[in-house]
Amino acid sequence: MRKQIVAGNWKMNNDYVDSEILVSKLLVQHKHSNTEVIIAPPFTNLLASINALKGSSIKVAAQNMHFAESGAYTGEVSAAMLKSIGVETVILGHSERRAYFNESDDLLAKKVDTALAHEMRIIFCFGEELKDRKSGNENSVVESQIKKALFHLPEADWSQIVLAYEPVWAIGTGETATPDQAQDMHAFIRKTLANAYVQSLADSVSILYGGSVKSSNAKEIFSKTDVDGGLIGGAALDAEHFTAIVNAF
Ligand code: 13P
């Protein structure tokens, strides 16, 4: 059985106080269920969130990390630093990191290796741009992104990988992929995994959809066979909306 996961990527939103308020609201509304719930606040709110969520099943992820172990990388945060405050999961490869911070497939492969060396779980994001979809190249773009960053991994490492398909044209735009578009891509990703590895591995990897998921469309998207949950941006900043999305399963 694949894990069902709903993760909230707060991006660069919420200062320390906002974060405390949102976490306390989530705590009140959260009901333990089979769906794993993760929040990814900014670095400055990670430790406080972890402390506030002690005893709850809501988990905390980081939004990024550097590939190096330590050293002269001003402004960066390492895997060991994250682990030292209890962060076990990291989001890597988000399209905003790729677009605004020039994160390439090669760089992401290094980050993946470092995270795994620190026994961290990875929510690995990828997805095509509008021009790729318009030209019918979405499958080849997605295949290339996951191949270059992940297909060097041995089978055993995949227990630490969660995939998040986030078509760039659907992020923050209000334009969601249709449930069928999401299903088609997720099925393609699973087939690609089965071809590169084995079917049992492909069947075990959770594939999340991200891009304008809201409480109003989550149920339909999550009802698709190969959609195992969501990576939520804007709607994760509101406790009621986020909890309604979690409850859409
Ligand atoms: P939105 O839900 O705001 O479209 O963002 C999706 C996303 O980028 C999550 O990582």
Side-chain angles (χ1 to χ4, degrees):
M1 255 299 260
R2 289 191 289 274
K3 219 176 232 175
Q4 294 177 339
I5 301 170
V6 175
N9 175 10
W10 293 10
K11 308 190 180 183
M12 197 171 74
N13 293 294
N14 289 337
D15 67 14
Y16 190 83
V17 174
D18 299 332
S19 168
E20 276 192 319
I21 295 168
L22 180 49
V23 168
S24 62
K25 284 186 184 165
L26 287 172
L27 265 174
V28 171
Q29 300 194 7
H30 180 66
K31 304 257 183 311
H32 191 75
S33 73
N34 286 335
T35 305
E36 182 178 343
V37 179
I38 304 173
I39 58 166
F43 288 127
T44 48
N45 302 335
L46 286 172
L47 182 56
S49 300
I50 286 171
N51 287 335
L53 290 168
K54 279 207 174 109
S56 147
S57 58
I58 301 176
K59 298 190 175 126
V60 176
Q63 296 174 20
N64 182 33
M65 52 160 254
H66 199 269
F67 63 82
E69 290 300 324
S70 65
Y73 297 99
T74 301
E76 292 292 327
V77 170
S78 72
M81 291 171 187
L82 293 173
K83 287 282 291 209
S84 74
I85 59 164
V87 175
E88 302 282 344
T89 304
V90 63
I91 297 174
L92 294 178
H94 195 281
S95 63
E96 289 148 17
R97 300 289 323 166
R98 293 175 191 258
Y100 307 142
F101 303 95
N102 297 320
E103 295 202 357
S104 64
D105 296 317
D106 289 347
L107 176 97
L108 290 170
K110 286 195 208 173
K111 289 191 177 198
V112 163
D113 290 344
T114 303
L116 291 172
H118 286 265
E119 296 178 347
M120 294 185 79
R121 183 169 55 155
I122 298 163
I123 300 176
F124 187 80
C125 307
F126 53 88
E128 82 282 2
E129 294 177 34
L130 187 58
K131 65 173 169 39
D132 306 318
R133 184 155 283 263
K134 281 196 165 152
S135 57
N137 288 326
E138 65 271 19
N139 286 7
S140 58
V141 167
V142 160
E143 182 172 3
S144 159
Q145 287 172 326
I146 51 178
K147 228 180 209 166
K148 287 179 179 157
L150 298 172
F151 280 11
H152 62 286
L153 299 177
E155 251 179 76
D157 281 346
W158 279 84
S159 60
Q160 294 288 80
I161 307 284
V162 173
L163 297 178
Y165 168 58
E166 299 204 303
V168 177
W169 48 272
I171 295 178
T173 58
E175 187 177 348
T176 324
T178 64
D180 285 340
Q181 282 174 322
Q183 168 57 28
D184 286 352
M185 181 57 86
H186 286 217
F188 169 74
I189 294 161
R190 219 177 286 291
K191 196 174 85 190
T192 305
L193 275 176
N195 290 342
Y197 293 89
V198 288
Q199 188 66 47
S200 56
L201 181 146
D203 288 338
S204 71
V205 175
S206 297
I207 309 177
L208 316 184
Y209 168 79
S212 298
V213 177
K214 300 184 273 285
S215 47
S216 55
N217 60 22
K219 206 178 178 83
E220 215 189 332
I221 297 171
F222 295 168
S223 71
K224 295 294 175 183
T225 323
D226 287 293
V227 178
D228 305 307
L231 183 55
I232 321 299
L237 300 175
D238 180 283
E240 271 179 32
H241 280 145
F242 186 65
T243 306
I245 292 169
V246 172
N247 294 339
F249 263 116

